[in-house]
Amino acid sequence: MNSSRAERVPLATQKKGGADVDHWDPEDEKFWESTGKRIANRNLWISIPALYCGFAVWAMWGIISVQMLNLGFPFTKEQLFTLTAISGLSGATMRIPSSFFIRLAGGRNTIFLTTAMLLTPVVGTGIALQHQDLPLWVFQLLALWSGVGGGNFASSMSNINPFFPKRLQGTALGLNAGLGNFGVTATQIFIPLFMTMGLFGAIGGEPMTLVKDSGWLFGKIPAGAPTYIQNAGFVGILILVPVSIAAWFGMNNLRSVSPQTGVVASFSKITWLYTLAFIPAIFGLYLYLPAPTGLGLINAWFLVPLDIAMALLIMKLAAFGPMKENVAKQFAIFSNKHTWAMTALYVVTFGSFIGFSLAAPLAITVIFGDKHVLDAATGVWTHVKNPAAPSALTYAWIGPFVGAAARPFGGWISDKFGGSIVTQAVSAVMAVASVATGYVMFLAFHSETPEQYFLVFMLLFSLLFLASGVGNGSTFRSVGHIFNREQAGPVLGWTSAVAAYGSFVAPTMIGGQIHAGTPENAMYGFAVFYAVCLVINWWFYLRPNAYVKNP
């Protein structure tokens, strides 16, 4: 719609008392200043806490699994690693249908329902954690369900993108993702704190007693202390309810993006597609997980492409009526080579951020929580409790905090200098830092005093998080620059979906290599991938004859 029309409509055309906005043209400066900025900012500032909730629920199993170990739940470290991996894989799978939601159902409808949906896994987790005698599959099922929180990112980013003019998309998306990502940090800071107190009185259940030392932001919590681990779930209720209400009454559906926004039909589409997304996740995990949960027939590298392919196939086959045309438009992005280049680059940034966020607590617990002693006669390493061990629950939040804080800066600096040049610097830093981190992990895992390497480890890991956070902002900016407005939203959703598999791959790789006695190999493998993506970014966007100069 042209600018003269915008002048005649000083306010966005909106049904009285409704949430649908018919006219939207943020590139028209007069429209933007008179009306667009106010509406866009309101939607952004409600979107951020909604996304924060999604990340918090998705990431909570990284902390819960550590505390289950400290409380003496009858599961091995390897079994507890599966909870984080399952939540990660589920969240990544859920992002595939989530990338379709805005076009199919509208932003306000989507953000409200997908945020309210998170009440089910948090309440279920709070109930289940009060019973140590429950079988492992119950916790695995709840971890699977928590993946809905991870899926919400794709719809959140697809929703915010069209609200802002291209010149501000890097900043807006960086704020949405960066501040939303603080849900990971908040989980790692506040859940250990809330576990120390009976927040909900008699209805919140009785505390359990720590078998091993635990910790929180300000230091260790000694064995024998009472712990309300169930609060890890229940505390989510306190924020999910008000944020859901704010989304319903304060957000909008843009009819130019989402032509059909009837509430019942929209809710039905979202529920239908999210329900279908559990099929590939459950089937893939059944093939991957060892007995007694699964069959243990495939490895992680086969599971991820299998899961993606099954999810896409189900989305295509399940579409009916008006959904079919909209899904077809979404699938059009796969014929664009830039979709695949940006997917790889976003895996470098967000894939690393979320993967390391979920893997760090247990990695710290295992690598630095034990003394590693070599028997000179047999050549066998033994691992015994390290009384000088740092608490994962005291330090694990630092990296995600740094990464989330860096995201808005990455968007801002990329708006000024170009997304791809920032991504190039980020990829180089991450390749070098990953090698250095791997070497420090090797030294710590072969030392009777691993704590002496902990400071260097945390500094290097924080550098990885810093670079990944800046890179998140730069890749958002690049998507807005490279793709047109119609394709940018679906591309953001798709790339975020694939990158989210880092939440499964990183814990799986690091956990598997720790079990094999070679944790450094996981980091060396990540470094090789970062180096490959350095070349991809240069070839597509920075070389003299690049497909799209950015800058």
Side-chain angles (χ1 to χ4, degrees):
M1 194 170 286
N2 59 37
S3 60
S4 63
R5 169 62 174 156
E7 292 175 17
R8 295 197 304 271
V9 187
L11 297 177
T13 306
Q14 186 173 353
K15 295 177 182 177
K16 187 174 182 180
D20 291 354
V21 175
D22 293 318
H23 168 73
W24 191 254
D25 187 8
E27 301 299 341
D28 180 340
E29 286 193 25
K30 290 183 178 179
F31 174 84
W32 175 251
E33 291 298 328
S34 65
T35 304
K37 183 191 294 186
R38 174 178 55 83
I39 294 176
N41 285 335
R42 186 181 69 239
N43 278 268
L44 173 63
W45 290 108
I46 297 174
S47 174
I48 287 170
L51 185 55
Y52 171 101
C53 291
F55 272 111
V57 173
W58 188 29
M60 67 183 181
W61 288 96
I63 295 299
I64 291 172
S65 57
V66 169
Q67 201 69 317
M68 290 172 75
L69 184 67
N70 293 333
L71 287 166
F73 277 68
F75 309 121
T76 66
K77 294 174 182 177
E78 290 75 23
Q79 289 174 323
L80 291 174
F81 257 114
T82 68
L83 299 178
T84 303
I86 289 170
S87 176
L89 182 83
S90 175
T93 309
M94 296 297 157
R95 285 194 178 189
I96 294 176
S98 182
S99 64
F100 296 81
F101 288 167
I102 301 305
R103 180 180 290 275
L104 294 173
R108 175 249 204 168
N109 297 340
T110 298
I111 303 305
F112 164 75
L113 182 60
T114 56
T115 302
M117 280 180 172
L118 299 176
L119 286 165
T120 302
V122 300
V123 172
T125 297
I127 294 171
L129 287 173
Q130 297 179 64
H131 306 281
Q132 289 194 356
D133 56 343
L134 287 177
L136 180 64
W137 67 262
V138 173
F139 300 101
Q140 290 175 326
L141 180 61
L142 287 164
L144 182 81
W145 210 332
S146 299
V148 170
N152 289 356
F153 180 83
S155 55
S156 178
M157 298 301 287
S158 298
N159 181 48
I160 289 302
N161 185 66
F163 273 99
F164 288 84
K166 282 198 171 188
R167 61 188 172 83
L168 297 176
Q169 283 175 353
T171 301
L173 292 172
L175 284 169
N176 190 52
L179 298 181
N181 269 1
F182 276 115
V184 177
T185 305
T187 292
Q188 296 176 335
I189 292 177
F190 293 116
I191 283 183
L193 169 63
F194 292 140
M195 288 180 183
T196 65
M197 59 186 76
L199 287 177
F200 302 97
I203 63 172
E206 297 298 319
M208 297 180 185
T209 302
L210 283 173
V211 175
K212 299 181 180 180
D213 291 347
S214 182
W216 68 304
L217 180 62
F218 296 112
K220 284 190 176 182
I221 299 174
T227 297
Y228 295 83
I229 188 173
Q230 63 268 31
N231 285 354
F234 289 147
V235 73
I237 301 170
L238 301 181
I239 186 170
L240 284 168
V241 171
V243 170
S244 298
I245 293 171
W248 182 253
F249 289 103
M251 298 190 78
N252 299 98
N253 304 311
L254 298 181
R255 293 295 294 272
S256 59
V257 177
S258 317
Q260 299 176 353
T261 56
V263 173
V264 174
S266 296
F267 285 5
S268 298
K269 293 172 188 176
I270 293 169
T271 305
W272 170 244
L273 291 178
Y274 253 165
T275 301
L276 290 176
F278 279 113
I279 296 173
I282 292 172
F283 179 70
L285 286 165
Y286 181 66
L287 294 178
Y288 166 75
L289 291 171
T293 306
L295 300 177
L297 295 179
I298 60 175
N299 62 30
W301 297 112
F302 188 76
L303 172 59
V304 169
L306 174 65
D307 188 73
I308 293 173
M310 287 193 299
L312 287 173
L313 179 61
I314 288 174
M315 293 305 106
K316 193 164 189 177
L317 294 177
F320 57 87
M323 289 174 62
K324 200 171 188 68
E325 182 183 351
N326 286 327
V327 168
K329 289 180 179 179
Q330 298 278 91
F331 271 74
I333 65 174
F334 299 132
S335 63
N336 189 333
K337 59 180 173 287
H338 295 291
T339 298
W340 302 103
M342 290 308 303
T343 297
L345 297 176
Y346 196 57
V347 170
V348 171
T349 58
F350 180 76
S352 299
F353 171 86
I354 194 63
F356 293 152
S357 295
L358 298 185
L362 270 177
I364 292 171
T365 299
V366 176
I367 294 175
F368 297 95
D370 289 339
K371 297 192 295 182
H372 312 287
V373 183
L374 177 65
D375 188 319
T378 63
V380 175
W381 286 91
T382 58
H383 310 281
V384 296
K385 182 179 178 182
N386 179 15
S391 170
L393 301 187
T394 302
Y395 297 100
W397 65 273
I398 295 174
F401 177 85
V402 170
R407 262 185 142 172
F409 173 75
W412 174 79
I413 196 172
S414 298
D415 279 339
K416 289 188 172 295
F417 299 105
S420 292
I421 196 166
V422 175
T423 302
Q424 192 77 350
V426 161
S427 300
V429 168
M430 292 185 71
V432 174
S434 189
V435 171
T437 303
Y439 181 64
V440 172
M441 291 170 75
F442 167 79
L443 294 176
F445 205 67
H446 295 81
S447 172
E448 293 188 34
T449 56
E451 66 276 6
Q452 67 180 304
Y453 301 105
F454 184 69
L455 176 60
V456 178
F457 169 83
M458 284 302 303
L459 290 172
L460 288 169
F461 228 54
S462 296
L463 178 60
L464 282 168
F465 275 105
L466 174 66
S468 71
V470 172
N472 272 310
S474 68
T475 49
F476 294 154
R477 175 61 180 85
S478 294
V479 168
H481 180 78
I482 294 164
F483 297 90
N484 61 36
R485 183 170 291 274
E486 183 177 342
Q487 286 199 327
V491 169
L492 282 169
W494 164 255
T495 56
S496 73
V498 176
Y501 283 93
S503 61
F504 170 75
V505 171
T508 299
M509 283 190 64
I510 293 174
Q513 290 300 318
I514 286 175
H515 184 64
T518 54
E520 68 278 4
N521 286 349
M523 302 306 298
Y524 297 157
F526 296 141
V528 171
F529 174 69
Y530 299 149
V532 170
C533 289
L534 191 77
V535 176
I536 291 173
N537 186 60
W538 173 81
W539 178 262
F540 273 80
Y541 307 116
L542 292 177
R543 65 188 172 94
N545 296 318
Y547 296 116
V548 177
K549 290 294 288 183
N550 181 36

